[in-house]
Amino acid sequence: MTEKKAATKKVVTSKAATPKKSAAKKNEVVINAESVGFRAGDVYQALAAAEKPLSVADIAKAAKISKEEAFLGIGWLFKEGKVKDEDCLITLA
């Protein structure tokens, strides 16, 4: 007598059918002298390219970095005397 194998049915689900899990975007800012120095360079380049005072949000957008990273870079540049504030905007010194 031969045994019958149970037929297995393969269920294919599409990505559209499965509910998407919302992935929380985590912005981790690395704080060390090297990374903060690079953010300072990003901020400096964004201000030099704009040739006018910018807000922190505008600097972050132009440099393609987060606001937190922009603050770190601005702080570094303030300490070095490379930038100054003008009516709540940041400009090259």
Side-chain angles (χ1 to χ4, degrees), residues 46-58:
L47 287 169
E51 297 180 345
K52 65 178 182 177
L54 296 175
S55 69
V56 174
D58 290 337

Side-chain angles (χ1 to χ4, degrees), residues 13-87:
T13 59
S14 69
K15 288 186 178 184
T18 57
K20 290 185 179 181
K21 293 180 182 178
S22 61
K25 188 176 179 182
K26 242 184 165 179
N27 283 343
E28 238 179 75
V29 178
V30 177
I31 300 177
N32 59 37
E34 184 178 20
S35 67
V36 176
F38 281 124
R39 296 305 73 85
D42 294 340
V43 169
Y44 191 91
Q45 293 298 322
L47 287 169
E51 297 180 345
K52 65 178 182 177
L54 296 175
S55 69
V56 174
D58 290 337
I59 292 169
K61 185 176 178 181
K64 298 178 183 166
I65 58 177
S66 68
K67 279 186 179 181
E68 291 82 7
E69 292 171 318
F71 280 120
L72 286 172
I74 291 166
W76 180 295
L77 294 171
F78 266 125
K79 181 71 174 168
E80 290 186 342
K82 304 281 183 182
V83 294
K84 59 183 179 179
D85 61 322
E86 268 184 20
D87 301 322

